[in-house]
Amino acid sequence: MSWSDPARRFEPTEDVQLRAELRDLLGLGPRLATSAAEPTTELKALAEDLRREARRRSRTERKRPTWGLLAAAAMPLLAALVGLGSWGFQQKHRADDLATQTQRQEQELSRLATVHATELARERQAKEEVQHQLQLASRKEIRKGEPFLVIPVEKPLKVMGDDYQRVKQNPGQ
């Protein structure tokens, strides 16, 4: 409760006694009742000094620069942007590596396809040469009197079927 509060005049006696006891314990001694009358010249001078000091402090109060406040507010945003930039750089690096690897694989596949195509062309050419030679050879054979190309096969004289043994007898015999 403030000392200038008018409700203090109607305090209960227990509160007044308690306050007086606390003052004695603190060593402040008994307090004279202040009058609600006109303030003294000392109080007026003190109040004027306090007003002057308050005005001086309000004029000389340091204002925080707004750029500092903005910089402090922008720090988390800046940290997030740096993190995203770092992540993006890593992703770009991975994508470039993957593109390089894919390009190498495509080059290897095209090289293998070229090699395979040349091998097939060589085989086809060799096959055509063999067919051409066979045709030439068959024409020579036809000229000799044979109507077509005959490949001689040695046949066995006898089929070896007599050297088997019966395991089971026929039920009808």
Side-chain angles (χ1 to χ4, degrees):
M1 193 178 281
S2 172
W3 64 270
S4 64
D5 190 7
R8 196 165 196 181
R9 284 183 265 163
F10 305 110
E11 272 185 302
T13 55
E14 294 88 17
D15 288 347
V16 174
Q17 288 173 352
L18 183 62
R19 193 173 291 109
E21 188 178 337
L22 284 173
R23 254 187 262 124
D24 289 341
L25 287 174
L26 292 173
L28 296 174
R31 190 159 180 182
L32 298 173
T34 58
S35 62
E38 288 290 320
T40 62
T41 56
E42 292 174 356
L43 285 177
K44 286 181 183 178
L46 182 62
E48 188 60 37
D49 286 344
L50 287 174
R51 269 190 230 108
R52 254 187 283 127
E53 183 65 20
R55 276 192 228 121
R56 184 187 69 79
R57 285 188 181 185
S58 68
R59 282 190 216 123
T60 59
E61 185 178 299
R62 289 186 62 184
K63 302 280 184 182
R64 286 189 183 176
T66 34
W67 62 267
L69 184 62
L70 289 174
M75 288 302 269
L77 180 63
L78 183 62
L81 288 175
V82 167
L84 283 174
S86 172
W87 179 79
F89 182 73
Q90 288 175 350
Q91 294 302 317
K92 183 188 177 302
H93 186 64
R94 286 180 185 168
D96 290 344
D97 289 346
L98 185 62
T100 304
Q101 184 181 10
T102 305
Q103 186 178 11
R104 285 184 197 145
Q105 287 176 351
E106 288 176 356
Q107 287 174 351
E108 183 66 22
L109 285 175
S110 65
R111 187 187 66 78
L112 289 174
T114 306
V115 167
H116 184 67
T118 55
E119 287 176 2
L120 286 178
R122 285 181 194 156
E123 287 177 7
R124 192 178 307 121
Q125 187 178 11
K127 196 175 192 182
E128 288 174 359
E129 286 177 15
V130 168
Q131 285 179 354
H132 183 64
Q133 287 174 0
L134 283 175
Q135 286 175 356
L136 288 176
S138 70
R139 286 182 191 157
K140 287 179 187 176
E141 292 293 323
I142 292 174
R143 289 180 193 155
K144 288 182 183 177
E146 293 184 17
F148 52 88
L149 179 64
V150 177
I151 300 173
V153 176
E154 294 182 17
K155 293 186 179 179
L157 297 173
K158 182 179 175 187
V159 177
M160 305 299 275
D162 295 337
D163 60 344
Y164 63 89
Q165 193 176 29
R166 278 194 186 221
V167 179
K168 207 174 180 187
Q169 288 186 354
N170 286 341
Q173 288 181 348

